[in-house]
Amino acid sequence: METIVWINATKIHALNFKEEVSEESNSKQQKRKISFDFKVTSEEYHDIAVLLYKMHFQIRIPVQKLEFDASISNYSTSITDLYKPGQIADYCLELIEEL
């Protein structure tokens, strides 16, 4: 099932979307953590790379009525160089809420 996740002003078609709440051991504050997979084409690669290098984001998930600030806690991709036309990479992204 696909979930639409907005990272700043970029619409992501997220697959395998998961949400959980984690507790900071030193402060007892609870933070949202989301993780999902998405596809990136060679044509989208530059814009997605520039977006993810920012590291801090405004997240919106309309279907769940969620909105929060987050940063990357984990990230991986199946291809690190998508400059060859026609390539598609699988990205995995985990974001944690910033309080």
mmCIF file with all atom_site columns, all heavy atoms in Angstrom, residues 68-89:
data_model
loop_
_atom_site.group_PDB
_atom_site.id
_atom_site.type_symbol
_atom_site.label_atom_id
_atom_site.label_alt_id
_atom_site.label_comp_id
_atom_site.label_asym_id
_atom_site.label_entity_id
_atom_site.label_seq_id
_atom_site.pdbx_PDB_ins_code
_atom_site.Cartn_x
_atom_site.Cartn_y
_atom_site.Cartn_z
_atom_site.occupancy
_atom_site.B_iso_or_equiv
_atom_site.pdbx_formal_charge
_atom_site.auth_seq_id
_atom_site.auth_comp_id
_atom_site.auth_asym_id
_atom_site.auth_atom_id
_atom_site.pdbx_PDB_model_num
ATOM 1   N N   . PHE A 1 68 ? 4.981  17.188 11.558  1.00 0.00 ? 68 PHE A N   1
ATOM 2   C CA  . PHE A 1 68 ? 6.020  17.384 12.566  1.00 0.00 ? 68 PHE A CA  1
ATOM 3   C C   . PHE A 1 68 ? 7.358  17.641 11.890  1.00 0.00 ? 68 PHE A C   1
ATOM 4   O O   . PHE A 1 68 ? 7.540  17.357 10.711  1.00 0.00 ? 68 PHE A O   1
ATOM 5   C CB  . PHE A 1 68 ? 6.118  16.176 13.511  1.00 0.00 ? 68 PHE A CB  1
ATOM 6   C CG  . PHE A 1 68 ? 6.369  14.855 12.834  1.00 0.00 ? 68 PHE A CG  1
ATOM 7   C CD1 . PHE A 1 68 ? 7.659  14.355 12.713  1.00 0.00 ? 68 PHE A CD1 1
ATOM 8   C CD2 . PHE A 1 68 ? 5.317  14.096 12.331  1.00 0.00 ? 68 PHE A CD2 1
ATOM 9   C CE1 . PHE A 1 68 ? 7.895  13.131 12.095  1.00 0.00 ? 68 PHE A CE1 1
ATOM 10  C CE2 . PHE A 1 68 ? 5.538  12.871 11.719  1.00 0.00 ? 68 PHE A CE2 1
ATOM 11  C CZ  . PHE A 1 68 ? 6.832  12.392 11.605  1.00 0.00 ? 68 PHE A CZ  1
ATOM 12  N N   . ASP A 1 69 ? 8.281  18.199 12.662  1.00 0.00 ? 69 ASP A N   1
ATOM 13  C CA  . ASP A 1 69 ? 9.646  18.390 12.188  1.00 0.00 ? 69 ASP A CA  1
ATOM 14  C C   . ASP A 1 69 ? 10.430 17.118 12.463  1.00 0.00 ? 69 ASP A C   1
ATOM 15  O O   . ASP A 1 69 ? 10.215 16.455 13.488  1.00 0.00 ? 69 ASP A O   1
ATOM 16  C CB  . ASP A 1 69 ? 10.315 19.564 12.919  1.00 0.00 ? 69 ASP A CB  1
ATOM 17  C CG  . ASP A 1 69 ? 9.695  20.901 12.558  1.00 0.00 ? 69 ASP A CG  1
ATOM 18  O OD1 . ASP A 1 69 ? 9.203  21.036 11.421  1.00 0.00 ? 69 ASP A OD1 1
ATOM 19  O OD2 . ASP A 1 69 ? 9.703  21.804 13.401  1.00 0.00 ? 69 ASP A OD2 1
ATOM 20  N N   . ALA A 1 70 ? 11.343 16.789 11.551  1.00 0.00 ? 70 ALA A N   1
ATOM 21  C CA  . ALA A 1 70 ? 12.086 15.536 11.699  1.00 0.00 ? 70 ALA A CA  1
ATOM 22  C C   . ALA A 1 70 ? 13.477 15.664 11.106  1.00 0.00 ? 70 ALA A C   1
ATOM 23  O O   . ALA A 1 70 ? 13.764 16.583 10.335  1.00 0.00 ? 70 ALA A O   1
ATOM 24  C CB  . ALA A 1 70 ? 11.340 14.395 11.011  1.00 0.00 ? 70 ALA A CB  1
ATOM 25  N N   . SER A 1 71 ? 14.310 14.711 11.477  1.00 0.00 ? 71 SER A N   1
ATOM 26  C CA  . SER A 1 71 ? 15.643 14.595 10.883  1.00 0.00 ? 71 SER A CA  1
ATOM 27  C C   . SER A 1 71 ? 15.883 13.131 10.537  1.00 0.00 ? 71 SER A C   1
ATOM 28  O O   . SER A 1 71 ? 15.193 12.234 11.022  1.00 0.00 ? 71 SER A O   1
ATOM 29  C CB  . SER A 1 71 ? 16.717 15.114 11.838  1.00 0.00 ? 71 SER A CB  1
ATOM 30  O OG  . SER A 1 71 ? 16.700 14.384 13.041  1.00 0.00 ? 71 SER A OG  1
ATOM 31  N N   . ILE A 1 72 ? 16.869 12.899 9.707   1.00 0.00 ? 72 ILE A N   1
ATOM 32  C CA  . ILE A 1 72 ? 17.180 11.539 9.266   1.00 0.00 ? 72 ILE A CA  1
ATOM 33  C C   . ILE A 1 72 ? 17.867 10.779 10.400  1.00 0.00 ? 72 ILE A C   1
ATOM 34  O O   . ILE A 1 72 ? 18.844 11.256 10.975  1.00 0.00 ? 72 ILE A O   1
ATOM 35  C CB  . ILE A 1 72 ? 18.093 11.558 8.032   1.00 0.00 ? 72 ILE A CB  1
ATOM 36  C CG1 . ILE A 1 72 ? 17.351 12.179 6.839   1.00 0.00 ? 72 ILE A CG1 1
ATOM 37  C CG2 . ILE A 1 72 ? 18.574 10.149 7.685   1.00 0.00 ? 72 ILE A CG2 1
ATOM 38  C CD1 . ILE A 1 72 ? 18.207 12.351 5.598   1.00 0.00 ? 72 ILE A CD1 1
ATOM 39  N N   . SER A 1 73 ? 17.349 9.597  10.697  1.00 0.00 ? 73 SER A N   1
ATOM 40  C CA  . SER A 1 73 ? 18.026 8.730  11.661  1.00 0.00 ? 73 SER A CA  1
ATOM 41  C C   . SER A 1 73 ? 18.670 7.532  10.977  1.00 0.00 ? 73 SER A C   1
ATOM 42  O O   . SER A 1 73 ? 19.596 6.938  11.515  1.00 0.00 ? 73 SER A O   1
ATOM 43  C CB  . SER A 1 73 ? 17.074 8.276  12.766  1.00 0.00 ? 73 SER A CB  1
ATOM 44  O OG  . SER A 1 73 ? 15.992 7.568  12.231  1.00 0.00 ? 73 SER A OG  1
ATOM 45  N N   . ASN A 1 74 ? 18.189 7.204  9.766   1.00 0.00 ? 74 ASN A N   1
ATOM 46  C CA  . ASN A 1 74 ? 18.789 6.122  9.001   1.00 0.00 ? 74 ASN A CA  1
ATOM 47  C C   . ASN A 1 74 ? 18.371 6.284  7.537   1.00 0.00 ? 74 ASN A C   1
ATOM 48  O O   . ASN A 1 74 ? 17.263 6.733  7.257   1.00 0.00 ? 74 ASN A O   1
ATOM 49  C CB  . ASN A 1 74 ? 18.340 4.766  9.534   1.00 0.00 ? 74 ASN A CB  1
ATOM 50  C CG  . ASN A 1 74 ? 19.236 3.638  9.097   1.00 0.00 ? 74 ASN A CG  1
ATOM 51  O OD1 . ASN A 1 74 ? 20.221 3.844  8.397   1.00 0.00 ? 74 ASN A OD1 1
ATOM 52  N ND2 . ASN A 1 74 ? 18.892 2.428  9.498   1.00 0.00 ? 74 ASN A ND2 1
ATOM 53  N N   . TYR A 1 75 ? 19.260 5.871  6.651   1.00 0.00 ? 75 TYR A N   1
ATOM 54  C CA  . TYR A 1 75 ? 19.013 6.081  5.218   1.00 0.00 ? 75 TYR A CA  1
ATOM 55  C C   . TYR A 1 75 ? 19.874 5.111  4.432   1.00 0.00 ? 75 TYR A C   1
ATOM 56  O O   . TYR A 1 75 ? 21.020 4.855  4.783   1.00 0.00 ? 75 TYR A O   1
ATOM 57  C CB  . TYR A 1 75 ? 19.376 7.535  4.896   1.00 0.00 ? 75 TYR A CB  1
ATOM 58  C CG  . TYR A 1 75 ? 19.755 7.840  3.471   1.00 0.00 ? 75 TYR A CG  1
ATOM 59  C CD1 . TYR A 1 75 ? 18.779 8.038  2.509   1.00 0.00 ? 75 TYR A CD1 1
ATOM 60  C CD2 . TYR A 1 75 ? 21.084 7.954  3.089   1.00 0.00 ? 75 TYR A CD2 1
ATOM 61  C CE1 . TYR A 1 75 ? 19.125 8.333  1.204   1.00 0.00 ? 75 TYR A CE1 1
ATOM 62  C CE2 . TYR A 1 75 ? 21.434 8.252  1.796   1.00 0.00 ? 75 TYR A CE2 1
ATOM 63  C CZ  . TYR A 1 75 ? 20.447 8.440  0.858   1.00 0.00 ? 75 TYR A CZ  1
ATOM 64  O OH  . TYR A 1 75 ? 20.778 8.729  -0.434  1.00 0.00 ? 75 TYR A OH  1
ATOM 65  N N   . SER A 1 76 ? 19.303 4.540  3.380   1.00 0.00 ? 76 SER A N   1
ATOM 66  C CA  . SER A 1 76 ? 20.096 3.702  2.485   1.00 0.00 ? 76 SER A CA  1
ATOM 67  C C   . SER A 1 76 ? 19.488 3.743  1.090   1.00 0.00 ? 76 SER A C   1
ATOM 68  O O   . SER A 1 76 ? 18.328 4.101  0.909   1.00 0.00 ? 76 SER A O   1
ATOM 69  C CB  . SER A 1 76 ? 20.164 2.261  2.993   1.00 0.00 ? 76 SER A CB  1
ATOM 70  O OG  . SER A 1 76 ? 18.885 1.666  2.948   1.00 0.00 ? 76 SER A OG  1
ATOM 71  N N   . THR A 1 77 ? 20.299 3.369  0.114   1.00 0.00 ? 77 THR A N   1
ATOM 72  C CA  . THR A 1 77 ? 19.843 3.315  -1.268  1.00 0.00 ? 77 THR A CA  1
ATOM 73  C C   . THR A 1 77 ? 20.504 2.136  -1.961  1.00 0.00 ? 77 THR A C   1
ATOM 74  O O   . THR A 1 77 ? 21.618 1.741  -1.612  1.00 0.00 ? 77 THR A O   1
ATOM 75  C CB  . THR A 1 77 ? 20.139 4.634  -2.015  1.00 0.00 ? 77 THR A CB  1
ATOM 76  O OG1 . THR A 1 77 ? 19.685 4.515  -3.361  1.00 0.00 ? 77 THR A OG1 1
ATOM 77  C CG2 . THR A 1 77 ? 21.608 4.987  -1.997  1.00 0.00 ? 77 THR A CG2 1
ATOM 78  N N   . SER A 1 78 ? 19.825 1.596  -2.944  1.00 0.00 ? 78 SER A N   1
ATOM 79  C CA  . SER A 1 78 ? 20.363 0.445  -3.666  1.00 0.00 ? 78 SER A CA  1
ATOM 80  C C   . SER A 1 78 ? 21.384 0.858  -4.721  1.00 0.00 ? 78 SER A C   1
ATOM 81  O O   . SER A 1 78 ? 22.197 0.042  -5.149  1.00 0.00 ? 78 SER A O   1
ATOM 82  C CB  . SER A 1 78 ? 19.221 -0.342 -4.324  1.00 0.00 ? 78 SER A CB  1
ATOM 83  O OG  . SER A 1 78 ? 18.543 0.464  -5.273  1.00 0.00 ? 78 SER A OG  1
ATOM 84  N N   . ILE A 1 79 ? 21.328 2.114  -5.160  1.00 0.00 ? 79 ILE A N   1
ATOM 85  C CA  . ILE A 1 79 ? 22.277 2.637  -6.159  1.00 0.00 ? 79 ILE A CA  1
ATOM 86  C C   . ILE A 1 79 ? 22.719 4.016  -5.687  1.00 0.00 ? 79 ILE A C   1
ATOM 87  O O   . ILE A 1 79 ? 21.886 4.867  -5.396  1.00 0.00 ? 79 ILE A O   1
ATOM 88  C CB  . ILE A 1 79 ? 21.618 2.769  -7.555  1.00 0.00 ? 79 ILE A CB  1
ATOM 89  C CG1 . ILE A 1 79 ? 21.099 1.424  -8.055  1.00 0.00 ? 79 ILE A CG1 1
ATOM 90  C CG2 . ILE A 1 79 ? 22.600 3.365  -8.558  1.00 0.00 ? 79 ILE A CG2 1
ATOM 91  C CD1 . ILE A 1 79 ? 20.281 1.518  -9.335  1.00 0.00 ? 79 ILE A CD1 1
ATOM 92  N N   . THR A 1 80 ? 24.010 4.242  -5.623  1.00 0.00 ? 80 THR A N   1
ATOM 93  C CA  . THR A 1 80 ? 24.502 5.536  -5.138  1.00 0.00 ? 80 THR A CA  1
ATOM 94  C C   . THR A 1 80 ? 24.743 6.541  -6.247  1.00 0.00 ? 80 THR A C   1
ATOM 95  O O   . THR A 1 80 ? 24.908 7.721  -5.988  1.00 0.00 ? 80 THR A O   1
ATOM 96  C CB  . THR A 1 80 ? 25.811 5.361  -4.337  1.00 0.00 ? 80 THR A CB  1
ATOM 97  O OG1 . THR A 1 80 ? 26.767 4.722  -5.173  1.00 0.00 ? 80 THR A OG1 1
ATOM 98  C CG2 . THR A 1 80 ? 25.572 4.553  -3.085  1.00 0.00 ? 80 THR A CG2 1
ATOM 99  N N   . ASP A 1 81 ? 24.775 6.101  -7.481  1.00 0.00 ? 81 ASP A N   1
ATOM 100 C CA  . ASP A 1 81 ? 25.016 7.004  -8.607  1.00 0.00 ? 81 ASP A CA  1
ATOM 101 C C   . ASP A 1 81 ? 23.949 6.757  -9.665  1.00 0.00 ? 81 ASP A C   1
ATOM 102 O O   . ASP A 1 81 ? 24.029 5.812  -10.432 1.00 0.00 ? 81 ASP A O   1
ATOM 103 C CB  . ASP A 1 81 ? 26.413 6.763  -9.179  1.00 0.00 ? 81 ASP A CB  1
ATOM 104 C CG  . ASP A 1 81 ? 26.731 7.679  -10.334 1.00 0.00 ? 81 ASP A CG  1
ATOM 105 O OD1 . ASP A 1 81 ? 25.909 8.546  -10.678 1.00 0.00 ? 81 ASP A OD1 1
ATOM 106 O OD2 . ASP A 1 81 ? 27.829 7.536  -10.903 1.00 0.00 ? 81 ASP A OD2 1
ATOM 107 N N   . LEU A 1 82 ? 22.956 7.630  -9.686  1.00 0.00 ? 82 LEU A N   1
ATOM 108 C CA  . LEU A 1 82 ? 21.818 7.446  -10.590 1.00 0.00 ? 82 LEU A CA  1
ATOM 109 C C   . LEU A 1 82 ? 21.894 8.355  -11.808 1.00 0.00 ? 82 LEU A C   1
ATOM 110 O O   . LEU A 1 82 ? 20.876 8.772  -12.328 1.00 0.00 ? 82 LEU A O   1
ATOM 111 C CB  . LEU A 1 82 ? 20.518 7.760  -9.842  1.00 0.00 ? 82 LEU A CB  1
ATOM 112 C CG  . LEU A 1 82 ? 19.883 6.627  -9.066  1.00 0.00 ? 82 LEU A CG  1
ATOM 113 C CD1 . LEU A 1 82 ? 18.711 7.142  -8.244  1.00 0.00 ? 82 LEU A CD1 1
ATOM 114 C CD2 . LEU A 1 82 ? 19.423 5.531  -9.976  1.00 0.00 ? 82 LEU A CD2 1
ATOM 115 N N   . TYR A 1 83 ? 23.070 8.664  -12.257 1.00 0.00 ? 83 TYR A N   1
ATOM 116 C CA  . TYR A 1 83 ? 23.195 9.595  -13.380 1.00 0.00 ? 83 TYR A CA  1
ATOM 117 C C   . TYR A 1 83 ? 22.986 8.942  -14.749 1.00 0.00 ? 83 TYR A C   1
ATOM 118 O O   . TYR A 1 83 ? 22.867 9.634  -15.737 1.00 0.00 ? 83 TYR A O   1
ATOM 119 C CB  . TYR A 1 83 ? 24.537 10.332 -13.331 1.00 0.00 ? 83 TYR A CB  1
ATOM 120 C CG  . TYR A 1 83 ? 24.546 11.386 -12.261 1.00 0.00 ? 83 TYR A CG  1
ATOM 121 C CD1 . TYR A 1 83 ? 25.352 11.263 -11.142 1.00 0.00 ? 83 TYR A CD1 1
ATOM 122 C CD2 . TYR A 1 83 ? 23.726 12.502 -12.359 1.00 0.00 ? 83 TYR A CD2 1
ATOM 123 C CE1 . TYR A 1 83 ? 25.347 12.240 -10.161 1.00 0.00 ? 83 TYR A CE1 1
ATOM 124 C CE2 . TYR A 1 83 ? 23.716 13.477 -11.380 1.00 0.00 ? 83 TYR A CE2 1
ATOM 125 C CZ  . TYR A 1 83 ? 24.523 13.340 -10.282 1.00 0.00 ? 83 TYR A CZ  1
ATOM 126 O OH  . TYR A 1 83 ? 24.519 14.296 -9.303  1.00 0.00 ? 83 TYR A OH  1
ATOM 127 N N   . LYS A 1 84 ? 22.940 7.627  -14.820 1.00 0.00 ? 84 LYS A N   1
ATOM 128 C CA  . LYS A 1 84 ? 22.672 6.959  -16.096 1.00 0.00 ? 84 LYS A CA  1
ATOM 129 C C   . LYS A 1 84 ? 21.166 6.951  -16.340 1.00 0.00 ? 84 LYS A C   1
ATOM 130 O O   . LYS A 1 84 ? 20.398 6.492  -15.495 1.00 0.00 ? 84 LYS A O   1
ATOM 131 C CB  . LYS A 1 84 ? 23.210 5.526  -16.074 1.00 0.00 ? 84 LYS A CB  1
ATOM 132 C CG  . LYS A 1 84 ? 24.710 5.447  -15.976 1.00 0.00 ? 84 LYS A CG  1
ATOM 133 C CD  . LYS A 1 84 ? 25.173 4.008  -15.899 1.00 0.00 ? 84 LYS A CD  1
ATOM 134 C CE  . LYS A 1 84 ? 26.679 3.964  -15.683 1.00 0.00 ? 84 LYS A CE  1
ATOM 135 N NZ  . LYS A 1 84 ? 27.118 2.593  -15.384 1.00 0.00 ? 84 LYS A NZ  1
ATOM 136 N N   . PRO A 1 85 ? 20.711 7.458  -17.474 1.00 0.00 ? 85 PRO A N   1
ATOM 137 C CA  . PRO A 1 85 ? 19.274 7.516  -17.763 1.00 0.00 ? 85 PRO A CA  1
ATOM 138 C C   . PRO A 1 85 ? 18.595 6.151  -17.646 1.00 0.00 ? 85 PRO A C   1
ATOM 139 O O   . PRO A 1 85 ? 19.168 5.123  -17.991 1.00 0.00 ? 85 PRO A O   1
ATOM 140 C CB  . PRO A 1 85 ? 19.214 8.028  -19.197 1.00 0.00 ? 85 PRO A CB  1
ATOM 141 C CG  . PRO A 1 85 ? 20.499 8.753  -19.397 1.00 0.00 ? 85 PRO A CG  1
ATOM 142 C CD  . PRO A 1 85 ? 21.519 8.018  -18.563 1.00 0.00 ? 85 PRO A CD  1
ATOM 143 N N   . GLY A 1 86 ? 17.374 6.177  -17.132 1.00 0.00 ? 86 GLY A N   1
ATOM 144 C CA  . GLY A 1 86 ? 16.572 4.965  -17.052 1.00 0.00 ? 86 GLY A CA  1
ATOM 145 C C   . GLY A 1 86 ? 16.773 4.136  -15.799 1.00 0.00 ? 86 GLY A C   1
ATOM 146 O O   . GLY A 1 86 ? 16.087 3.142  -15.614 1.00 0.00 ? 86 GLY A O   1
ATOM 147 N N   . GLN A 1 87 ? 17.676 4.526  -14.925 1.00 0.00 ? 87 GLN A N   1
ATOM 148 C CA  . GLN A 1 87 ? 17.896 3.764  -13.702 1.00 0.00 ? 87 GLN A CA  1
ATOM 149 C C   . GLN A 1 87 ? 16.843 4.118  -12.645 1.00 0.00 ? 87 GLN A C   1
ATOM 150 O O   . GLN A 1 87 ? 16.337 5.233  -12.606 1.00 0.00 ? 87 GLN A O   1
ATOM 151 C CB  . GLN A 1 87 ? 19.276 4.050  -13.116 1.00 0.00 ? 87 GLN A CB  1
ATOM 152 C CG  . GLN A 1 87 ? 20.419 3.458  -13.897 1.00 0.00 ? 87 GLN A CG  1
ATOM 153 C CD  . GLN A 1 87 ? 21.740 3.724  -13.199 1.00 0.00 ? 87 GLN A CD  1
ATOM 154 O OE1 . GLN A 1 87 ? 22.022 4.847  -12.809 1.00 0.00 ? 87 GLN A OE1 1
ATOM 155 N NE2 . GLN A 1 87 ? 22.535 2.691  -13.040 1.00 0.00 ? 87 GLN A NE2 1
ATOM 156 N N   . ILE A 1 88 ? 16.560 3.147  -11.784 1.00 0.00 ? 88 ILE A N   1
ATOM 157 C CA  . ILE A 1 88 ? 15.650 3.359  -10.662 1.00 0.00 ? 88 ILE A CA  1
ATOM 158 C C   . ILE A 1 88 ? 16.290 2.739  -9.428  1.00 0.00 ? 88 ILE A C   1
ATOM 159 O O   . ILE A 1 88 ? 16.718 1.582  -9.454  1.00 0.00 ? 88 ILE A O   1
ATOM 160 C CB  . ILE A 1 88 ? 14.278 2.713  -10.905 1.00 0.00 ? 88 ILE A CB  1
ATOM 161 C CG1 . ILE A 1 88 ? 13.609 3.333  -12.133 1.00 0.00 ? 88 ILE A CG1 1
ATOM 162 C CG2 . ILE A 1 88 ? 13.387 2.873  -9.669  1.00 0.00 ? 88 ILE A CG2 1
ATOM 163 C CD1 . ILE A 1 88 ? 12.313 2.659  -12.535 1.00 0.00 ? 88 ILE A CD1 1
ATOM 164 N N   . ALA A 1 89 ? 16.359 3.530  -8.353  1.00 0.00 ? 89 ALA A N   1
ATOM 165 C CA  . ALA A 1 89 ? 16.937 3.046  -7.102  1.00 0.00 ? 89 ALA A CA  1
ATOM 166 C C   . ALA A 1 89 ? 15.849 2.876  -6.051  1.00 0.00 ? 89 ALA A C   1
ATOM 167 O O   . ALA A 1 89 ? 14.838 3.578  -6.064  1.00 0.00 ? 89 ALA A O   1
ATOM 168 C CB  . ALA A 1 89 ? 17.987 4.024  -6.592  1.00 0.00 ? 89 ALA A CB  1
#
